[in-house]
């Protein structure tokens, strides 16, 4: 099963992900801000990460930079 971390602060966009990525192929977790996304990444080690660029606390770019440095 493919683990997908989705970092998105817009509720409508999150709903699109929830409705579009269904079935037995994906296990998804959601983060509402950049810090939460980074914490989930470190704890859960997803296969795919979808990052919103403009998020509270940390931007998607900042999250990606932290991940690449570790």
């Amino acid at each position: 099963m493919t683990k997908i971390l989705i970092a998105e602060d817009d509720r409508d966009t999150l709903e699109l992900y929830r409705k579009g990525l269904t079935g037995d192929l994906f296990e998804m977790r959601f983060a509402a801000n950049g810090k939460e996304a980074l914490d989930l990444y470190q704890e859960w080690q997803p296969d795919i990460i979808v990052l919103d660029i403009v998020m509270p606390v940390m931007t998607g770019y900042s999250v990606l930079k932290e991940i690449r440095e570790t």
Side-chain angles (χ1 to χ4, degrees):
M1 184 172 300
T2 302
K3 299 189 300 186
I4 302 174
L5 169 59
I6 298 173
E8 176 62 61
D9 62 331
D10 181 74
R11 290 177 193 248
D12 293 332
T13 305
L14 272 177
E15 193 60 31
L16 288 173
Y17 284 119
R18 284 192 176 107
K19 288 181 179 181
L21 297 173
T22 60
D24 297 334
L25 298 176
F26 307 110
E27 179 181 353
M28 292 184 294
R29 300 233 178 129
F30 299 93
N33 64 60
K35 175 70 172 121
E36 191 176 318
L38 188 58
D39 291 344
L40 269 172
Y41 168 78
Q42 292 169 340
E43 169 190 319
W44 191 50
Q45 295 294 302
D47 300 304
I48 299 169
I49 305 170
V50 179
L51 291 170
D52 183 4
I53 298 301
V54 180
M55 290 186 291
V57 185
M58 288 177 77
T59 66
Y61 289 124
S62 297
V63 173
L64 184 58
K65 182 180 177 190
E66 288 286 328
I67 289 171
R68 284 184 174 171
E69 290 177 355
T70 59

